[in-house]
Amino acid sequence: MFGAFRASPVCGGGLVWKSPWRMSRTRKANQRKRLKAVDEVIRVVASTGLMTRSLEQALQLPKEHEMDPKDKYTTFSRSAPGYRKSVHKVPKFTRLTLRENPKGF
C-alpha cells in the first residue's frame, strides 16, 4: 500500500549504527588531542592555587604522554573476550575519564 504505513524497502533494513571494529588514525589523533586538552585544563586550574577534591584526583591521573597506547585507545570491559574494549565502542567516550583501568588488564 501507499501512504504512511507502507512496507519499507529491503535494502533499507539491517544494522543502523555501523561502527568500525578498530579506530581510524583520525579518531586516534582526535582522542590524543582531547586528552591533551584535558591535561591543559587541569594544569591551568591547578596553577590558580585553588584545591578541591576533584582537582586532587585529576592531578593523580596520568598525563597523555605518560599513558600506554593500550590505555589511550581501549578501556576495561568485563564482557569483552580479552577484558579490553575499544574506546570508540563506549557510549559518550568523549565525556568520560577513561584514564584509569584495573591493574593488570
Side-chain angles (χ1 to χ4, degrees), residues 8-90:
S8 60
V10 176
C11 65
L15 185 64
V16 177
W17 300 105
K18 294 178 169 56
S19 65
W21 64 278
R22 88 165 58 159
M23 287 180 80
S24 65
R25 272 187 206 167
T26 313
R27 278 192 168 189
K28 285 183 179 182
N30 289 338
Q31 175 71 2
R32 286 191 303 271
K33 189 167 42 169
R34 248 183 254 111
L35 290 169
K36 288 176 186 174
V38 170
D39 290 341
E40 182 63 20
V41 169
I42 292 170
R43 188 188 64 77
V44 168
V45 172
S47 67
T48 62
L50 179 69
M51 266 301 162
T52 61
R53 190 174 343 138
S54 59
L55 183 60
E56 289 174 6
Q57 290 173 353
L59 288 171
Q60 292 174 356
L61 293 173
K63 294 187 175 20
E64 185 269 335
H65 66 275
E66 297 170 348
M67 293 175 70
D68 290 336
K70 183 175 89 170
D71 291 335
K72 285 184 201 178
Y73 309 123
T74 62
T75 185
F76 177 77
S77 173
R78 258 188 250 159
S79 60
Y83 299 107
R84 300 296 267 182
K85 179 184 197 179
S86 187
V87 171
H88 75 288
K89 302 275 187 180
V90 177

